[in-house]
Every structure is written in structure tokens, then in C-alpha cells.
Amino acid sequence: MSTLKFQSQSVATPYFIFALFLFTGQIIFGLVMGLQYVVGDFLAGAIPFNVARMVHTNLLIVWLLFGFMGAAYFLVPEESETELYSPKLAILLFWVFAAAGTLTILGYLLVPYSTLAQITGNEYFPTMGREFLEQPTITKIGIVIVCLGFLFNIGMTILRGRKTVINMVLITGLIGLAVFFLFSFYNPENIAMDKLFWWFVVHLWVEGVWELIMGAILAFILIKITGVDREIIEKWLYVIIAMALISGLLGTGHHFFWLATPGYWQWVGSVFSALEPLPFFAMVLYAFNMVNNRRREHPNKAATLWALGTAVMAFLGAGVWGFLHTLAPVNFYTHGTQITAAHGHMAFYGAYVMIVLTIISYAMPKLRGVGEASSNKAQVIEMWGFWLMTVAMVFITLFLTGAGILQVWLQRLPESGEALNFMATQDKLSIFYWAREAAGVIFLIGLITYLSNFFVDKKAVK
């Protein structure tokens, strides 16, 4: 018997499954890159470092988008109290997006990037070559078509059903995601202008509209697992997204410090970036306050753990580690170092990987016909996966932070004597890179442990 409130919620299942498949690929390529840092010729002929990096970061973006779409298809019908407008459209768009993503990744791996640009017509409408946005123009157009169809489906569902704060915040974030992606088609020849508008995609996604998506999903989960009045959770959500947008939009300025922009950006970027940890700290207070004042003991303990973990790790990664190097006088020395990588790893994991895994943890037992929650054995395995991945990510962040501090000292601070060149500095950091690789292996073990929980309860996916 189905445990779903609305049968059309089942379209979220392939999105979640494919997202986890891509997530696994992302981690494997991350380990390949990590080993190439210290063993430079490892798989160099088959998977050069620049290709591994491209696949690693692109898989991150694509699997999170699949996760966001699956989350929307699951929660919007329940929030709107109506079936999804068109389940068939949702499935069609899944196959289109999955095929486009798979072919693009295979293109990266099997064809030299310059050849890929040539055969996809990049010379006629150049959009390729920028990190995170390496996709061929034809793939970017496909992403836009998928996003338009997805927004139409979700929007029509909301229009004909109940309007809630969660749905409104979610659709605002999703529309913003689609709109800011359009800047990936603008590719000015001036390198400073190129980077300026590149950040309109990257920053305004991860420190802007994606935070709305994360807030909406977290609010939905907290309502379900705590039983706290919707009005209370919605008020918290309003406060958090207001702080996130006020600080995040102008906080884009911390990427403009050294792009030949006017000097006032050093003040604007520093001041508003310093405020960016506040919404994440509020999220920690919010999540723990809701769970401590819960009116019900939800059987899905694993989903509760993921929800609390999201708030804490997002605050540490996006808030604390972001603040560590966001002020202009500090950023002058630290930008582009391993400190940036440390912040990026924990921020992405804490804010977005964990929120997608939170909604998957809550939704998959229902989608699989298991019930409100998986069996106790499955949840214990899932929580082991949680702790292995989370602790491993903390150590990855700490090792990269250590590498970054030493890198700044050796390469950029005149007080340390004659500055070493980049490659000489990298040699000095190898101990940190080996430690990071070891922590990455633990992360993969945690991911495998997490995935194994789905094979404990013998129910067919519906």
C-alpha cells in the first residue's frame, strides 16, 4: 500500500536515485584529483587533472539540481494539497536532463575539450571555458529548456492548490536559480568583465537563491518531524531568508575586490560579507529550537539528524569558514589559496549536499512504500553514513585550511622571507594533501555505508 499523500509525488524517485548515483561519481573523481595532487602522473593519460576537476565540479552542480527538482516534486504537491500538474512532463524532463548530463560528462572524458567546443559549435555562440560553466552551449540550452518545463510544472501545481510560505519561498528560489543561470550565456572578451558576470551565476546561486531553496526544504522537514505550528516555523523562515538575501546579494562584492572594480566594493563586500554568517547562525538556533520544542516523536530519527546536521555544518562551512577570509585586508593574501578550497568543500557539503540528503532521508521510505521511516537497522546504518561523511568532511576542511595557511605564509607574505613560487609551495603542502586524501577515502566509505541502508528494507521502489 502506498504511503504517499499524493501519488504524483512518486516522480521524485528517479530524481533522487540519479542524484545519488551522480554524487557517488563526484566523490570518486574527487579522490582521483586528490591523488593527482601528490602523485602527478596518476591516470594522467586517461583522466588529466583539468578533466577530473571539470567532471568533479560539474557532477556536484548537476546532482544537486536533480536533488532540488526531486525535493520540489515531493514537497510541492503536499504543501499545495493537490496532485502534481503533470507527472508525465516531470518524467520526460528527467530523461532529457539525465541524457544531456550523461552525454556532457562522457564528452569531457572521451573528447579533448577544444574538440568538444568545436563539434558543439562553441565558435558561433561561445559560452564554454569557465569553471563550473564548462558545459557546451547546446547543453546549457538544454538545461534552460528543462528548467522552464520544471518551473511550469511546479508553478501550475502551486497556482491550482494551497499557497504556503514554503511553496512561495521555494518557487522564488527556483526561479532565481533559472534566471541567474542565464548569465552563463554572456561571455565578454574582457577578463575582468567575464569574472564579474561569472560570479552573478556562481555567487548568486550558492550565496543567494539556493539559500531560499535550502530554507524551504528545511522548513518543510521541520514541520513534518516536529509537529511545531506552521506559523512559528514560517516566521523563522521569513527572518532567515531576509537576512540571507540582504547579506548575500551585496556580499557578492567580496568577489569584486581584485577585478579592477571601484574601491568602494572592498567596503561593501567586506561589510555585507561579514553579515553572511548571521542567517546560518539563525538557522542553527531555528533547527535546534524546533526539535527541542517538538510536539511529536517522529520515527525517522535519521532525517532529524540530517536536518540538525545541515544547520550546524552550513553555519561552520558557509558562515565561519567564509568569514575567515572574506574581509578585504585578509582576502588580499588568501584569495585563490587552499583556504578557499576549505571553505568551498564544507560550505557545499553543509548547506546543499546535506539538505538534499535530508529530504531524501525523509522522503525515500515513503516513496519506497516502507512507511513513515525505514527500519531501525536501516536508520542505524544511515546514521553511521552520516557521521563518517560529516566527520571526514570536517577533517578535509581542517587539512585544506592548514595547507592554505602554510601556502599564504610561504607564497604571499613578504615577512616570511623570499616568497616561494607556486610549485615549490605545493611540494611543501604534500603532507596536508595526503591527509586530505585519507579523509576523502573515509568519506567514500561513509557514502557507501549510507547507500547500503536502502538495501536493508526489502521493498520495491514504487
Side-chain angles (χ1 to χ4, degrees):
M1 191 175 88
S2 175
T3 56
L4 295 174
K5 189 173 181 181
F6 297 96
Q7 195 55 41
S8 57
Q9 291 175 284
S10 62
V11 301
T13 303
Y15 284 87
F16 288 151
I17 292 174
F18 197 66
L20 293 175
F21 174 74
L22 295 179
F23 181 29
T24 305
Q26 183 214 343
I27 301 309
I28 291 171
F29 278 94
L31 287 173
V32 169
M33 287 171 58
L35 201 51
Q36 288 176 338
Y37 261 85
V38 284
V39 183
D41 57 355
F42 176 71
L43 292 180
I47 311 175
F49 179 84
N50 65 306
V51 173
R53 185 184 188 279
M54 194 160 52
V55 173
H56 178 65
T57 54
N58 276 240
L59 283 174
L60 169 66
I61 299 298
V62 173
W63 90 257
L64 288 177
L65 292 179
F66 270 100
F68 291 159
M69 289 179 176
Y73 284 133
F74 182 83
L75 73 84
V76 165
E78 200 159 322
E79 283 290 297
S80 300
E81 295 186 337
T82 183
E83 294 285 1
L84 186 66
Y85 179 76
S86 177
K88 290 181 179 179
L89 177 60
I91 295 299
L92 173 64
L93 293 175
F94 166 78
W95 287 111
V96 171
F97 196 16
T102 301
L103 289 173
T104 301
I105 297 300
L106 289 175
Y108 294 157
L109 292 171
L110 302 177
V111 182
Y113 192 67
S114 58
T115 304
L116 183 64
Q118 185 177 8
I119 63 178
T120 57
N122 188 65
E123 60 185 299
Y124 303 110
F125 190 2
T127 68
M128 298 173 68
R130 290 177 288 177
E131 56 185 322
F132 293 110
L133 304 176
E134 294 96 345
Q135 309 87 16
T137 303
I138 190 170
T139 302
K140 290 188 176 78
I141 293 171
I143 292 172
V144 170
I145 293 171
V146 168
C147 285
L148 288 174
F150 166 69
L151 288 171
F152 171 77
N153 210 356
I154 293 298
M156 291 300 292
T157 306
I158 293 174
L159 283 174
R160 74 179 189 180
R162 181 179 64 159
K163 282 69 174 176
T164 68
V165 172
I166 290 174
N167 270 348
M168 293 300 106
V169 171
L170 179 66
I171 193 69
T172 302
L174 292 171
I175 291 172
L177 185 158
V179 168
F180 288 121
F181 181 70
L182 296 177
F183 283 101
S184 68
F185 290 93
Y186 181 52
N187 195 6
E189 292 184 3
N190 182 289
I191 189 65
M193 291 292 289
D194 173 71
K195 278 296 184 184
L196 190 79
F197 286 101
W198 181 80
W199 284 114
F200 277 26
V201 182
V202 179
H203 176 97
L204 293 177
W205 263 13
V206 301
E207 295 175 72
V209 293
W210 282 25
E211 291 184 19
L212 273 64
I213 298 169
M214 175 178 65
I217 296 172
L218 185 60
F220 174 80
I221 295 295
L222 290 174
I223 287 174
K224 297 300 180 183
I225 64 177
T226 66
V228 172
D229 288 345
R230 175 179 291 272
E231 291 77 12
I232 296 174
I233 289 179
E234 287 174 347
K235 287 175 183 176
W236 274 91
L237 181 59
Y238 273 134
V239 172
I240 288 170
I241 64 169
M243 287 194 294
L245 288 178
I246 291 170
S247 61
L249 293 179
L250 286 173
T252 311
H254 65 237
H255 301 298
F256 299 166
F257 288 160
W258 324 118
L259 288 181
T261 50
Y264 59 74
W265 277 113
Q266 293 182 23
W267 282 99
V268 173
S270 295
V271 170
F272 284 93
S273 296
L275 299 176
E276 284 191 65
L278 295 181
F280 290 101
F281 182 64
M283 199 174 292
V284 175
L285 298 179
Y286 158 59
F288 278 86
N289 189 39
M290 294 305 106
V291 171
N292 287 335
N293 293 299
R294 60 184 177 266
R295 295 183 177 180
R296 61 175 299 201
E297 287 291 334
H298 197 279
N300 196 333
K301 308 295 185 187
T304 306
L305 179 62
W306 280 110
L308 294 175
T310 297
V312 173
M313 292 295 287
F315 170 63
L316 291 175
V320 176
W321 257 262
F323 178 76
L324 284 179
H325 68 138
T326 198
L327 301 180
V330 177
N331 189 263
F332 180 78
Y333 296 102
T334 62
H335 73 280
T337 67
Q338 294 298 329
I339 292 176
T340 304
H343 160 58
H345 277 77
M346 188 182 274
F348 262 109
Y349 176 74
Y352 302 120
V353 171
M354 293 183 78
I355 195 61
V356 170
L357 296 181
T358 300
I359 188 69
I360 290 176
S361 179
Y362 175 79
M364 281 304 278
K366 295 172 175 285
L367 292 168
R368 298 174 66 217
V370 172
E372 283 282 304
S374 302
S375 66
N376 186 63
K377 181 180 179 181
Q379 288 195 60
V380 169
I381 293 172
E382 183 180 351
M383 288 190 279
W384 267 103
F386 166 92
W387 285 111
L388 284 169
M389 285 192 286
T390 303
V391 172
M393 184 53 69
V394 169
F395 277 98
I396 288 171
T397 303
L398 291 174
F399 293 140
L400 287 172
T401 303
I405 292 171
L406 184 58
Q407 182 180 7
V408 170
W409 176 252
L410 293 175
Q411 191 180 329
R412 296 189 173 178
L413 284 177
E415 290 81 6
S416 62
E418 185 178 349
L420 295 182
N421 64 43
F422 178 80
M423 293 308 296
T425 302
Q426 294 302 304
D427 287 340
K428 301 287 187 182
L429 307 180
S430 62
I431 183 65
F432 292 103
Y433 293 149
W434 277 115
R436 185 264 304 269
E437 183 73 0
V441 171
I442 301 299
F443 190 97
L444 179 61
I445 293 171
L447 175 57
I448 294 170
T449 303
Y450 166 79
L451 294 174
S452 68
N453 93 85
F454 295 111
F455 299 95
V456 173
D457 298 327
K458 303 298 182 183
K459 291 275 187 175
V461 175
K462 297 187 178 182

